[in-house]
Amino acid sequence: CGCLSEILAWAGRGQGNAKVGDFKAAGATAPGDIIIGGLFAIHEGVEESANLSAPHASQCARFNMDGFTQALAMIHAVESANRSPVLTTLGISLGYRIHDSCSDVTTALRASADFTQPTTDCGGGANTSNSSPPIMAVIGASSSEISISVARQLNLELIPQISYASTAIILSDKKRFPTFLRTVPSDLYQTRAMVQLLSDSKWTWVGVVTTDGDYGRSALDSFFSQATASGICVAFKEILPNSLTRPDGESAVRQVATTLRRNPNVKVVVSFAKPTQMMYLYQELRGLGLGLGERVWVASDSWSSSKEVLGKMDLPDIGHVVGFTFKTGNLAHFHHYLMNLSDNNDVIGNNSFLKEFYSLPNGSGDPKVVSSSTAAAEILLNNSYANVVFNVEMAVSAIAHAVADICSRKDCKTPGNVQPWQVLEALRGSRFELEGKSYTFDQKGDINMGYDVTLWRSVRGVINIHDVVAEYHPINNSFIYTMHRIPMQDVVSVCSASCEPGKFKKTAEGRHTCCYECINCTENHYSNNTDMDQCLSCDTKREWSLEGSSGCTHKTLEFFSWQDGFAVVLLALSALGIVLVLLVGALFLHHHQTPVVKAAGGPLSQIILLSLVGSFVSAVFFVGHPSSLQCKVRQVLFGLSFTLCVSCILVKSLKILLAFQLNPDVKDVLRRLYQPYAIICLCVALQVLTCTLWLVLQSPREKATVFATTVLAECDEGSHVAFGVMLGYIAVLALVCFACAFKGRKLPQKYNEARFITFSMLLYLMSWVMFVPVYVTTSGKYLPAVEMVVILISNYGVLSCHFFPKCYVILFKKEHNTKSAFMKNVFEYSRKGITDSRQQSVVYCTNLSFMEEWQEESHFLKISIKSVV
């Protein structure tokens, strides 16, 4: 009979043997209208066989309390579902067949064969009424590697598989695993959450320890890619073999410990290892005498809730542990179930795993130490983890709701009416409730509720591994902390210290991007944040910075400002000059009939004074922030004003030239050509033409000259040729005035204009000759002041030489400002050493030129001069 092996297997289990020989027989069963398969790691592994000459079932070893508790969670969830209105209203029930995977892929595949092949009772055929109902769904396994292998087998019959702990990313691929679902999120979200925690804590230099296999390598690849994208560097990656009982297991653990010892700067280690692997690793590290108190271990869901990693060590021996765990539910009902488990004879009778549990020896080898209900319940409670139990309960609840949805439309009691692929279809679109909350599988077959971040604590010698310090929300990839800051986040785990603002990171070729030098930013560059990869450039037209600057400084705008002390002095002199000109003009108007005023030129003196006002005003335009209009006005206004002034002085100089012309014919010609106002207009017109061409072709404009730390606002004269022509033209007029006036320097002093013209033009020429080299070699904001000074010197030269002496006579020597005094001066000058007719003619002509304006008395003067001679 085919049941003989089952009978032998049951007999073996009844004796408390931990070795299972045939996995066609389920370890725990219960009848029902719809049968659910279960696959749990009741044992930690299989014993290696030296003889591999023929296929055989491996023997399981080392009872796994965690896997056994998870199997009990499934049994309790099935019993709860059968009592719920979801199934009782339809009159159907769920049954189960639970197998032990022994944490081994091959053993799991042997066990899962029962899920795809109908089991018969003794003496019955496969198609008889005694045949066991087929499996409609499977819950398990916990290991991703086992789930991947089992899923491929279940795909053949389209049997839905719901895992409560397998988180490998590959299992979300519905093309390869169409029947796989899970009540936990994918490792993609766990690694993303880990990277976010590292970023929040500024841990950029970390190590990774993982287990060999699909789960470990998939998690490692996902973590590495996301960490790299977030600027986190992985200092080392160590992979531990799945089974540490193999000959290379011990050396692998020793290698990981050596790597940790060689990397003291790596204060944070991310681990995707198994609980037993971490236990051996911690023992090895302790044996090497490495201080782990400052190190932070970021635990994946594979061992974050397992106390067995501590072994005989205390929490301070291994450092800080931050764990990522699945969301939890209410365990009150399950704990009550465990407390009363020994009273449930039905469960004990159909559960060989439970029988084995009760026969387990203690550390001294005494059997049946857990036979008492109180001791057994305490052990089970200590090994029941809320998150895993809740995930198992969700899987059973999902199947119960899917079955209820199917059975509400058809008869589920008749064998063959319900097929596994129908259950699969119902699971994909179903929405089920558990503990008052609604859940559904997403398109990838996952239920993603996020994670709880736990911090292991030791309080009065009791270790608490369920202290939730933060919640991770995958939708927005963020944490909500239950405390202001996790204490161990003050740990520094970096390869290189952060580069302060003002510096940038320079990574050597072939090194990690987290290992770098901090280099000062060069001049006119800056970095305004920490750990910048490169410095930013200042806008050199407006900003500047020193080496190692964290920001740019605005360049100082420089110009010959109104607040400058030198500018204030020059402006005061300009204002004083305007006031003096106006006072002189008023004085001359009041005494316009006196000999002194008439000798000074009469109306021409008023024109000269008016031109001096324009020239003084032009000096004001050299102060302040220059504008294009201001640049044009200041040069043109000065050029035209001073040209008018010199033109009037030229007319007075030509009058002196006429006095020295002895040839009567030439003198008559010059006298007819001597038209004062026409000459003035002609001279000014030529300057107007020059300035017009200058403004039209290449006019002065505002210009900003950029220096290292300043910006100089100045005027660009546009065409320096036009500027030179304008000044040169005035200089030519001044030279003509100087030459003409120099010839008449020996005429009567009191009314002689020649000497004053000579001195004023000489002063003008000297000042502008000095101006040219100074202007060419000077730069900066005081360049306008140079021209301003020369203009003021020229203006004051004309004002002092031409008008101040006459004002002195008008105001303080009034007796000299009369006709009689004038005649007396002429007669006295005529008597001085005049011996020849040439001197007579000179005296006659000279005095005639002085008295030309007195036309009504010219005849009297001529007669007087002759009589004196």
Side-chain angles (χ1 to χ4, degrees):
C1 176
C3 294
L4 178 60
S5 60
E6 299 179 20
I7 296 172
L8 293 175
W10 278 98
R13 291 192 189 94
Q15 296 175 358
N17 193 349
K19 301 176 182 178
V20 181
D22 189 352
F23 289 91
K24 280 293 289 183
T29 61
D33 300 310
I34 302 294
I35 304 300
I36 303 174
L39 193 59
F40 295 90
I42 309 298
H43 293 84
E44 294 180 358
V46 296
E47 292 185 352
E48 294 186 4
S49 176
N51 183 14
L52 296 178
S53 59
H56 68 282
S58 300
Q59 304 224 338
C60 299
R62 300 183 302 279
F63 193 85
N64 181 15
M65 204 66 66
D66 292 346
F68 175 62
T69 307
Q70 295 162 11
L72 292 178
M74 176 181 168
I75 295 172
H76 168 255
V78 171
E79 293 178 356
S80 299
N82 287 334
R83 294 191 300 267
S84 69
V86 176
L87 298 180
T88 56
T89 55
L90 298 174
I92 59 175
S93 64
L94 299 179
Y96 56 81
R97 290 209 302 269
I98 300 176
H99 284 273
D100 182 7
S101 68
C102 296
S103 305
D104 178 64
V105 174
T106 304
T107 304
L109 289 175
R110 290 180 183 275
S112 62
D114 178 52
F115 301 148
T116 58
Q117 298 176 6
T119 301
T120 60
D121 292 333
C122 295
N127 297 323
T128 66
S129 59
N130 293 326
S131 299
S132 299
I135 299 296
M136 293 293 106
V138 175
I139 295 179
S142 59
S143 167
S144 293
E145 185 177 14
I146 294 177
S147 291
I148 291 171
S149 300
V150 171
R152 289 191 169 100
Q153 186 172 355
L154 297 179
N155 285 344
L156 299 175
E157 301 295 332
L158 290 180
I159 299 175
Q161 174 188 1
I162 304 179
S163 174
Y164 52 89
S166 298
T167 57
I169 299 174
I170 192 176
L171 289 169
S172 293
D173 187 351
K174 295 301 101 177
K175 291 184 178 179
R176 286 187 282 183
F177 304 97
T179 64
F180 181 83
L181 302 98
R182 53 187 165 191
T183 57
V184 291
S186 163
D187 273 333
L188 175 67
Y189 299 101
Q190 180 174 224
T191 53
R192 183 180 298 172
M194 288 179 170
V195 170
Q196 187 62 43
L197 177 64
L198 298 177
S199 298
D200 291 349
S201 305
K202 302 187 185 308
W203 295 328
T204 58
W205 189 236
V206 301
V208 180
V209 177
T210 188
T211 183
D212 196 9
D214 295 322
Y215 164 75
R217 292 186 178 275
S218 174
L220 175 61
D221 293 341
S222 177
F223 175 81
F224 183 79
S225 62
Q226 295 187 61
T228 303
S230 299
I232 297 171
C233 297
V234 177
F236 58 83
K237 296 178 284 186
E238 293 292 337
I239 301 176
L240 292 170
N242 272 328
S243 176
L244 296 180
T245 59
R246 291 177 1 193
D248 61 341
E250 184 177 349
S251 61
V253 173
R254 189 178 301 111
Q255 172 63 34
V256 175
T258 303
T259 301
L260 289 169
R261 183 177 60 183
R262 291 175 179 174
N263 293 272
N265 289 339
V266 180
K267 301 296 184 182
V268 177
V269 179
V270 179
S271 174
F272 299 97
K274 296 178 180 180
T276 53
Q277 293 172 330
M278 292 305 300
M279 180 183 68
Y280 287 124
L281 176 60
Y282 284 143
Q283 290 174 353
E284 182 67 25
L285 291 172
R286 187 180 184 183
L288 293 175
L290 295 180
L292 302 177
E294 296 181 356
R295 187 159 269 151
V296 177
W297 299 86
V298 180
S300 69
D301 58 81
S302 61
W303 66 278
S304 59
S305 300
S306 179
K307 294 180 183 178
E308 67 177 286
V309 299
L310 293 174
K312 295 181 180 180
M313 296 184 293
D314 198 1
L315 188 58
D317 296 328
I318 66 173
H320 305 283
V321 177
V322 182
F324 282 81
T325 62
F326 304 125
K327 293 292 184 177
T328 61
N330 186 2
L331 290 185
H333 295 291
F334 181 61
H335 286 174
H336 182 267
Y337 171 79
L338 295 179
M339 293 296 295
N340 298 279
L341 186 61
S342 60
D343 299 332
N344 194 336
N345 295 324
D346 294 337
V347 174
I348 296 175
N350 296 321
N351 193 328
S352 63
F353 306 137
L354 190 58
K355 295 176 181 178
E356 183 179 352
F357 166 70
Y358 282 130
S359 65
L360 288 175
N362 63 1
S364 61
D366 295 335
K368 301 184 179 180
V369 72
V370 296
S371 58
S372 66
S373 60
T374 304
E378 184 177 353
I379 294 175
L380 293 175
L381 288 174
N382 290 334
N383 287 274
S384 61
Y385 301 108
N387 52 356
V388 180
V389 171
F390 181 67
N391 294 336
V392 173
E393 290 177 348
M394 276 202 299
V396 174
S397 179
I399 295 174
H401 282 76
V403 168
D405 181 56
I406 296 173
C407 295
S408 64
R409 299 190 302 271
K410 63 170 58 180
D411 179 17
C412 293
K413 289 184 175 293
T414 302
N417 274 7
V418 180
Q419 298 297 330
W421 53 87
Q422 295 174 339
V423 177
L424 174 63
E425 187 66 25
L427 283 170
R428 287 173 176 171
S430 68
R431 179 177 296 273
F432 60 94
E433 291 186 359
L434 184 64
E435 297 182 3
K437 294 183 179 179
S438 179
Y439 302 95
T440 185
F441 294 99
D442 60 21
Q443 293 181 348
K444 295 181 179 181
D446 304 336
I447 296 180
N448 189 0
M449 297 184 294
Y451 296 89
D452 285 334
V453 180
T454 60
L455 178 63
W456 290 20
R457 296 179 185 271
S458 180
V459 181
R460 298 175 183 176
V462 178
I463 297 177
N464 178 16
I465 64 175
H466 302 295
D467 189 3
V468 178
V469 294
E471 295 181 359
Y472 174 74
H473 294 270
I475 296 178
N476 52 10
N477 191 28
S478 63
F479 291 93
I480 297 179
Y481 293 94
T482 57
M483 58 175 63
H484 177 67
R485 184 173 179 83
I486 302 177
M488 80 303 171
Q489 283 184 311
D490 295 328
V491 173
V492 177
S493 185
V494 295
C495 181
S496 300
S498 294
C499 292
E500 300 175 351
K503 299 181 179 181
F504 71 98
K505 298 188 299 184
K506 182 180 180 181
T507 305
E509 186 177 355
R511 296 188 65 189
H512 286 282
T513 57
C514 298
C515 303
Y516 47 80
E517 295 180 76
C518 293
I519 307 298
N520 283 334
C521 295
T522 58
E523 292 183 357
N524 295 325
H525 291 78
Y526 72 99
S527 62
N528 57 0
N529 209 339
T530 57
D531 295 334
M532 292 188 67
D533 294 324
Q534 60 183 3
C535 296
L536 305 176
S537 177
C538 297
D539 182 0
T540 53
K541 293 183 178 179
R542 298 179 300 173
E543 299 171 331
W544 68 280
S545 67
L546 295 173
E547 181 181 351
S549 296
S550 60
C552 296
T553 303
H554 283 282
K555 291 186 175 181
T556 304
L557 181 62
E558 289 189 343
F559 54 89
F560 195 39
S561 67
W562 299 94
Q563 291 78 25
D564 192 284
F566 192 23
V568 172
V569 172
L570 295 180
L571 289 172
L573 291 175
S574 298
L576 177 61
I578 294 173
V579 172
L580 291 176
V581 168
L582 294 178
L583 292 176
V584 172
L587 183 63
F588 270 46
L589 283 175
H590 184 67
H591 298 277
H592 68 282
Q593 294 297 335
T594 61
V596 171
V597 175
K598 290 187 176 183
L604 287 180
S605 63
Q606 297 296 330
I607 297 176
I608 294 175
L609 291 172
L610 179 62
S611 66
L612 289 178
V613 171
S615 185
F616 276 119
V617 171
S618 70
V620 178
F621 287 95
F622 285 85
V623 183
H625 190 289
S627 63
S628 295
L629 178 62
Q630 182 177 340
C631 294
K632 294 178 176 66
V633 169
R634 69 182 191 179
Q635 296 292 6
V636 173
L637 181 59
F638 166 72
L640 295 179
S641 298
F642 212 77
T643 298
L644 178 60
C645 175
V646 177
S647 298
C648 293
I649 296 174
L650 176 63
V651 169
K652 297 172 69 174
S653 301
L654 291 176
K655 184 165 55 177
I656 298 173
L657 181 63
L658 288 176
F660 281 88
Q661 184 53 252
L662 302 180
N663 190 325
D665 297 333
V666 175
K667 182 181 294 185
D668 290 338
V669 173
L670 292 177
R671 190 177 296 276
R672 285 193 295 270
L673 293 176
Y674 180 70
Q675 302 295 328
Y677 295 105
I679 293 173
I680 293 172
C681 291
L682 177 61
C683 293
V684 174
L686 291 176
Q687 189 68 289
V688 169
L689 178 62
T690 300
C691 293
T692 302
L693 292 175
W694 186 11
L695 294 175
V696 171
L697 297 179
Q698 197 171 358
S699 64
R701 61 187 180 276
E702 177 190 2
K703 180 180 72 172
T705 304
V706 180
F707 295 98
T709 60
T710 60
V711 176
L712 177 63
E714 58 181 349
C715 285
D716 181 4
E717 303 303 344
S719 173
H720 288 88
V721 174
F723 182 45
V725 169
M726 183 192 76
L727 296 180
Y729 179 70
I730 300 175
V732 170
L733 294 180
L735 283 172
V736 173
C737 293
F738 176 79
C740 294
F742 185 77
K743 291 185 177 182
R745 65 189 183 281
K746 296 182 179 181
L747 293 176
Q749 295 182 4
K750 290 185 179 180
Y751 305 99
N752 187 5
E753 291 284 308
R755 291 185 179 182
F756 298 125
I757 294 174
T758 301
F759 286 130
S760 64
M761 293 299 101
L762 182 62
L763 184 62
Y764 167 80
L765 291 172
M766 290 178 60
S767 62
W768 283 96
V769 167
M770 291 186 295
F771 163 77
V772 173
V774 174
Y775 184 83
V776 171
T777 58
T778 302
S779 62
K781 67 177 182 179
Y782 288 109
L783 182 60
V786 176
E787 187 172 356
M788 192 175 177
V789 168
V790 177
I791 291 174
L792 293 177
I793 292 175
S794 303
N795 292 346
Y796 274 105
V798 174
L799 191 62
S800 301
C801 295
H802 285 265
F803 295 99
F804 285 171
K806 296 174 179 57
C807 292
Y808 176 76
V809 173
I810 294 173
L811 294 175
F812 303 107
K813 299 292 184 179
K814 296 181 180 179
E815 65 277 10
H816 294 164
N817 192 17
T818 60
K819 294 180 182 180
S820 58
F822 175 78
M823 293 306 301
K824 181 180 178 181
N825 179 260
V826 172
F827 289 136
E828 290 177 355
Y829 179 79
S830 301
R831 291 193 183 99
K832 292 179 181 178
I834 303 178
T835 58
D836 55 31
S837 61
R838 178 175 177 175
Q839 285 183 320
Q840 295 178 25
S841 176
V842 168
V843 172
Y844 169 80
C845 293
T846 301
N847 287 286
L848 181 63
S849 69
F850 275 114
M851 302 306 296
E852 212 172 39
E853 287 82 359
W854 298 353
Q855 294 179 3
E856 68 278 5
E857 301 180 8
S858 60
H859 181 67
F860 167 76
L861 290 174
K862 294 176 184 178
I863 295 175
S864 299
I865 294 172
K866 288 180 180 180
S867 63
V868 172
V869 176

